Amino acid sequence: MEPVGHPPPYAERVLDLVERIPRGRVMSYGDIAEYLGEGGPRQVGRVMSTWGGGVPWWRVVHADGTPPPGHEQRCLTRWREERTPLRGARADMRAARWDGAPESTA
């Protein structure tokens, strides 16, 4: 259940970035914090667990490419639909990690 009201400014920045992660790509919690230049992986995780239901949450993973605990099967389903590069049951961070730069459409 989503909390009542609007997310605080930091949460809005996290959610905005998550919405921009392209299909088939992922960012780790730490990648997001580093990109934003504030917070850390735990703060990003807190935002995602509290407010992340309305964004492509399956594109946010642990640094080793594993999905959020309890969401493994749903992540795998979404990753397969989006053709996210995988290594077994985790995202292939070398191939799937997004650095925040605009994707080439060529």
Side-chain angles (χ1 to χ4, degrees):
M1 185 166 98
E2 290 291 311
V4 176
H6 294 287
Y10 177 71
E12 288 281 0
R13 290 188 291 279
V14 168
L15 298 172
D16 178 62
L17 179 58
V18 172
E19 286 182 333
R20 295 189 336 237
I21 300 172
R23 290 176 59 88
R25 303 300 295 274
V26 298
M27 288 182 94
S28 72
Y29 297 97
D31 291 341
I32 292 170
E34 185 176 325
Y35 182 90
L36 294 174
E38 60 183 318
R42 289 179 189 264
Q43 288 84 2
V44 172
R46 178 76 175 146
V47 168
M48 292 303 295
S49 69
T50 305
W51 303 96
V55 298
W57 55 267
W58 58 92
R59 297 179 189 157
V60 182
V61 299
H62 295 280
D64 66 358
T66 55
H71 300 285
E72 295 86 356
Q73 287 306 311
R74 290 183 359 183
C75 273
L76 277 171
T77 299
R78 296 285 191 146
W79 291 343
R80 288 179 181 130
E81 288 171 0
E82 294 187 358
R83 297 187 176 172
T84 304
L86 301 176
R87 283 185 173 264
R90 61 180 69 195
D92 180 345
M93 293 304 283
R94 288 183 192 223
R97 178 177 262 142
W98 185 58
D99 64 4
E103 294 279 296
S104 157
T105 56

